[in-house]
């Protein structure tokens, strides 16, 4: 069984469609990801922007796929928990990062 709060269909994200300068980043409405096993969905309150995001945006790490969402870390509140996740619950305040 999946535990979740009421999730919106869309969210705001920092998106790039092609490698370029900082002005290549635009804020766009994108679909909220589907919850998959072993995962949670976090309603972010704060998102980090690091040097790795600038490298990704500029194309330093290779081609940029249209619709690439930047951002690898942030903090907020868990909004949904997959059934096989036992260490977290909806409402927990968390920090997350991914590479």
């Amino acid at each position: 069984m999946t535990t979740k709060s009421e999730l919106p269909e869309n969210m705001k994200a920092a998106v790039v469609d092609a490698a370029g300068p900082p002005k290549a980043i635009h804020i766009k409405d994108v679909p909220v990801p589907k919850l998959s096993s072993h995962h949670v969905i976090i309603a972010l309150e704060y998102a980090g922007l690091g040097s790795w995001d600038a490298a990704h945006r500029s194309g330093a790490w290779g081609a940029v796929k249209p619709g690439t969402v930047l951002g690898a870390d942030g903090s907020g509140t868990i909004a949904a928990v997959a059934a096989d996740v036992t260490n977290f619950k909806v409402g927990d305040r968390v920090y997350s990062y991914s590479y």
Side-chain angles (χ1 to χ4, degrees):
M1 170 184 257
T2 300
T3 303
K4 63 182 177 179
S5 61
E6 193 63 36
L7 296 177
E9 290 182 26
N10 294 302
M11 64 182 194
K12 301 266 185 218
V15 177
V16 291
D17 291 318
K23 67 180 181 179
I25 302 170
H26 56 281
I27 305 301
K28 183 177 178 182
D29 286 327
V30 299
V32 169
K34 300 295 181 201
L35 183 63
S36 57
S37 63
H38 307 294
H39 287 83
V40 301
I41 293 178
I42 303 168
L44 288 181
E45 294 171 31
Y46 301 96
L49 184 65
S51 59
W52 47 88
D53 293 302
H56 193 170
R57 181 250 322 136
S58 72
W61 293 349
V64 175
K65 295 178 184 176
T68 295
V69 175
L70 296 177
D73 58 335
S75 63
T77 304
I78 293 182
V81 179
D84 55 0
V85 173
T86 58
N87 294 332
F88 299 100
K89 65 184 181 311
V90 169
D92 285 348
R93 305 244 332 124
V94 294
Y95 169 81
S96 174
Y97 69 93
S98 176
Y99 291 104

